[in-house]
Amino acid sequence: MAFGVTTPEFSGEGCAVVFGGSGGLGRASAGLMAERGSNIVVTYRSRPAEAESLVEELRKMGRQASALACDVTDRKAVEAVFEHAVATYKRVHTIVSAGGLVFDTGPLTAFKEESFRGVIETDVFGFYNIAQVGVPFLRAGKGGSIVALVTSAVNRTVPNDALSATPKAAVCMMVRQLATEEAAHGIRANAVGPGVINAGMVIPMMETPTRALLEAAADFTPLKRLGEASEIAEAVAFLASSKASFITGQVLMVDGGLAA
């Protein structure tokens, strides 16, 4: 009698596609999945050097890896990423949506239109593109996993933060719908809800008026500290792997207790 899941987390066949892999959370997630056996395709929007340095690190691990420029609001660019992944690695077994925009927070009446539109288009429409284009590739590979990082969430540290709450709720609804619709095709869909993490978009946000809210985040967090990118990566790698084979349609909050 075997106890638990004994198969490798990632077999080395096919690849995981990590959208936003040049950022802090995407980079950590891609690196951990590579350590556990997966080949990786990462995308970037404006930081090619960071993406290429990650690819170099992954190749040193003995994994196959590549980096492509991609604006997730551009459907043709998303299609090109998946076409490259299949042409190079034969199949896609995991899709991770880890991109996001840096934005300031505050009263709804003070939001700049370009900020609101940018976050909605990148987080919501971008995930829509990733899912709609990517699902047929997962089906063709006989199943797989989708993991969305709802990275705009700043939770209770930002009162009345409609700019964060709106895309988070929309993406979570899409994840749950995908879970029910695609289960018959062997596809699982889940989300990870980071709290305030000492990485990724939080770093440049420290140079905006949001700094005071972020610095106070530890006081709002029951565990009394900010999270680390490695802690988010553990959740992503777990949900993507065979260890989570009976988990779908869930939002795993990795937030130090903020959502409790």
mmCIF file of all heavy atoms in Angstrom, residues 222-241:
data_model
loop_
_atom_site.group_PDB
_atom_site.id
_atom_site.type_symbol
_atom_site.label_atom_id
_atom_site.label_comp_id
_atom_site.label_asym_id
_atom_site.label_seq_id
_atom_site.Cartn_x
_atom_site.Cartn_y
_atom_site.Cartn_z
ATOM 1 N N PRO A 222 -1.975 38.938 10.844
ATOM 2 C CA PRO A 222 -1.890 38.183 12.089
ATOM 3 C C PRO A 222 -0.504 37.592 12.367
ATOM 4 O O PRO A 222 -0.085 37.523 13.523
ATOM 5 C CB PRO A 222 -2.947 37.089 11.899
ATOM 6 C CG PRO A 222 -3.992 37.764 11.066
ATOM 7 C CD PRO A 222 -3.205 38.597 10.088
ATOM 8 N N LEU A 223 0.213 37.184 11.330
ATOM 9 C CA LEU A 223 1.556 36.652 11.545
ATOM 10 C C LEU A 223 2.608 37.742 11.720
ATOM 11 O O LEU A 223 3.787 37.448 11.931
ATOM 12 C CB LEU A 223 1.958 35.723 10.390
ATOM 13 C CG LEU A 223 1.216 34.384 10.345
ATOM 14 C CD1 LEU A 223 1.730 33.527 9.197
ATOM 15 C CD2 LEU A 223 1.357 33.625 11.663
ATOM 16 N N LYS A 224 2.192 39.005 11.624
ATOM 17 C CA LYS A 224 3.036 40.162 11.939
ATOM 18 C C LYS A 224 4.300 40.266 11.092
ATOM 19 O O LYS A 224 5.363 40.649 11.590
ATOM 20 C CB LYS A 224 3.419 40.144 13.434
ATOM 21 C CG LYS A 224 2.221 40.234 14.360
ATOM 22 C CD LYS A 224 1.423 41.517 14.121
ATOM 23 C CE LYS A 224 0.214 41.615 15.043
ATOM 24 N NZ LYS A 224 -0.634 42.787 14.752
ATOM 25 N N ARG A 225 4.180 39.963 9.807
ATOM 26 C CA ARG A 225 5.296 40.172 8.896
ATOM 27 C C ARG A 225 4.775 40.150 7.467
ATOM 28 O O ARG A 225 3.644 39.744 7.204
ATOM 29 C CB ARG A 225 6.359 39.092 9.067
ATOM 30 C CG ARG A 225 5.910 37.678 8.675
ATOM 31 C CD ARG A 225 7.059 36.698 8.776
ATOM 32 N NE ARG A 225 6.680 35.323 8.487
ATOM 33 C CZ ARG A 225 6.625 34.804 7.263
ATOM 34 N NH1 ARG A 225 6.904 35.542 6.194
ATOM 35 N NH2 ARG A 225 6.281 33.535 7.090
ATOM 36 N N LEU A 226 5.608 40.608 6.547
ATOM 37 C CA LEU A 226 5.301 40.485 5.132
ATOM 38 C C LEU A 226 5.664 39.079 4.655
ATOM 39 O O LEU A 226 6.491 38.399 5.257
ATOM 40 C CB LEU A 226 6.084 41.521 4.321
ATOM 41 C CG LEU A 226 5.866 42.993 4.676
ATOM 42 C CD1 LEU A 226 6.657 43.877 3.718
ATOM 43 C CD2 LEU A 226 4.402 43.354 4.668
ATOM 44 N N GLY A 227 5.043 38.669 3.585
ATOM 45 C CA GLY A 227 5.361 37.370 3.016
ATOM 46 C C GLY A 227 6.585 37.437 2.125
ATOM 47 O O GLY A 227 7.072 38.509 1.779
ATOM 48 N N GLU A 228 7.094 36.269 1.746
ATOM 49 C CA GLU A 228 8.250 36.162 0.858
ATOM 50 C C GLU A 228 7.823 35.482 -0.445
ATOM 51 O O GLU A 228 6.903 34.662 -0.466
ATOM 52 C CB GLU A 228 9.367 35.350 1.514
ATOM 53 C CG GLU A 228 9.902 35.953 2.808
ATOM 54 C CD GLU A 228 10.598 37.289 2.596
ATOM 55 O OE1 GLU A 228 11.137 37.496 1.482
ATOM 56 O OE2 GLU A 228 10.618 38.105 3.529
ATOM 57 N N ALA A 229 8.509 35.815 -1.520
ATOM 58 C CA ALA A 229 8.187 35.237 -2.823
ATOM 59 C C ALA A 229 8.254 33.713 -2.791
ATOM 60 O O ALA A 229 7.455 33.027 -3.433
ATOM 61 C CB ALA A 229 9.132 35.793 -3.881
ATOM 62 N N SER A 230 9.204 33.166 -2.040
ATOM 63 C CA SER A 230 9.351 31.712 -1.965
ATOM 64 C C SER A 230 8.107 31.044 -1.381
ATOM 65 O O SER A 230 7.779 29.902 -1.735
ATOM 66 C CB SER A 230 10.581 31.344 -1.133
ATOM 67 O OG SER A 230 10.465 31.853 0.185
ATOM 68 N N GLU A 231 7.403 31.757 -0.495
ATOM 69 C CA GLU A 231 6.198 31.190 0.118
ATOM 70 C C GLU A 231 5.050 31.137 -0.886
ATOM 71 O O GLU A 231 4.227 30.216 -0.859
ATOM 72 C CB GLU A 231 5.826 32.005 1.354
ATOM 73 C CG GLU A 231 6.880 31.873 2.454
ATOM 74 C CD GLU A 231 6.660 32.825 3.613
ATOM 75 O OE1 GLU A 231 6.482 34.032 3.378
ATOM 76 O OE2 GLU A 231 6.686 32.351 4.771
ATOM 77 N N ILE A 232 4.996 32.115 -1.770
ATOM 78 C CA ILE A 232 3.996 32.087 -2.833
ATOM 79 C C ILE A 232 4.340 30.999 -3.844
ATOM 80 O O ILE A 232 3.474 30.260 -4.325
ATOM 81 C CB ILE A 232 3.903 33.456 -3.529
ATOM 82 C CG1 ILE A 232 3.605 34.552 -2.512
ATOM 83 C CG2 ILE A 232 2.846 33.421 -4.625
ATOM 84 C CD1 ILE A 232 2.363 34.339 -1.690
ATOM 85 N N ALA A 233 5.615 30.880 -4.169
ATOM 86 C CA ALA A 233 6.053 29.867 -5.123
ATOM 87 C C ALA A 233 5.706 28.461 -4.659
ATOM 88 O O ALA A 233 5.337 27.602 -5.467
ATOM 89 C CB ALA A 233 7.559 29.989 -5.356
ATOM 90 N N GLU A 234 5.812 28.208 -3.353
ATOM 91 C CA GLU A 234 5.445 26.885 -2.826
ATOM 92 C C GLU A 234 3.983 26.571 -3.108
ATOM 93 O O GLU A 234 3.636 25.446 -3.471
ATOM 94 C CB GLU A 234 5.710 26.829 -1.321
ATOM 95 C CG GLU A 234 7.171 26.705 -0.934
ATOM 96 C CD GLU A 234 7.745 25.312 -1.171
ATOM 97 O OE1 GLU A 234 6.981 24.401 -1.571
ATOM 98 O OE2 GLU A 234 8.955 25.153 -0.962
ATOM 99 N N ALA A 235 3.125 27.570 -2.938
ATOM 100 C CA ALA A 235 1.695 27.361 -3.186
ATOM 101 C C ALA A 235 1.437 27.116 -4.665
ATOM 102 O O ALA A 235 0.654 26.233 -5.042
ATOM 103 C CB ALA A 235 0.892 28.559 -2.690
ATOM 104 N N VAL A 236 2.085 27.904 -5.522
ATOM 105 C CA VAL A 236 1.902 27.746 -6.968
ATOM 106 C C VAL A 236 2.373 26.371 -7.423
ATOM 107 O O VAL A 236 1.661 25.655 -8.144
ATOM 108 C CB VAL A 236 2.662 28.853 -7.727
ATOM 109 C CG1 VAL A 236 2.646 28.583 -9.230
ATOM 110 C CG2 VAL A 236 2.047 30.222 -7.436
ATOM 111 N N ALA A 237 3.583 25.990 -7.015
ATOM 112 C CA ALA A 237 4.134 24.703 -7.433
ATOM 113 C C ALA A 237 3.282 23.542 -6.929
ATOM 114 O O ALA A 237 3.084 22.551 -7.640
ATOM 115 C CB ALA A 237 5.574 24.564 -6.941
ATOM 116 N N PHE A 238 2.772 23.667 -5.712
ATOM 117 C CA PHE A 238 1.902 22.621 -5.162
ATOM 118 C C PHE A 238 0.624 22.481 -5.986
ATOM 119 O O PHE A 238 0.268 21.373 -6.415
ATOM 120 C CB PHE A 238 1.557 22.941 -3.716
ATOM 121 C CG PHE A 238 0.422 22.122 -3.168
ATOM 122 C CD1 PHE A 238 0.556 20.758 -2.969
ATOM 123 C CD2 PHE A 238 -0.802 22.710 -2.858
ATOM 124 C CE1 PHE A 238 -0.497 19.983 -2.475
ATOM 125 C CE2 PHE A 238 -1.856 21.964 -2.369
ATOM 126 C CZ PHE A 238 -1.708 20.593 -2.171
ATOM 127 N N LEU A 239 -0.066 23.584 -6.227
ATOM 128 C CA LEU A 239 -1.328 23.522 -6.960
ATOM 129 C C LEU A 239 -1.131 23.037 -8.399
ATOM 130 O O LEU A 239 -2.020 22.401 -8.974
ATOM 131 C CB LEU A 239 -2.014 24.882 -6.958
ATOM 132 C CG LEU A 239 -2.600 25.319 -5.619
ATOM 133 C CD1 LEU A 239 -3.109 26.758 -5.701
ATOM 134 C CD2 LEU A 239 -3.733 24.392 -5.177
ATOM 135 N N ALA A 240 0.035 23.339 -8.976
ATOM 136 C CA ALA A 240 0.303 22.903 -10.343
ATOM 137 C C ALA A 240 0.673 21.436 -10.426
ATOM 138 O O ALA A 240 0.547 20.818 -11.487
ATOM 139 C CB ALA A 240 1.430 23.743 -10.934
ATOM 140 N N SER A 241 1.108 20.860 -9.321
ATOM 141 C CA SER A 241 1.705 19.532 -9.345
ATOM 142 C C SER A 241 0.696 18.405 -9.136
ATOM 143 O O SER A 241 -0.461 18.622 -8.794
ATOM 144 C CB SER A 241 2.768 19.434 -8.251
ATOM 145 O OG SER A 241 2.154 19.289 -6.971
#
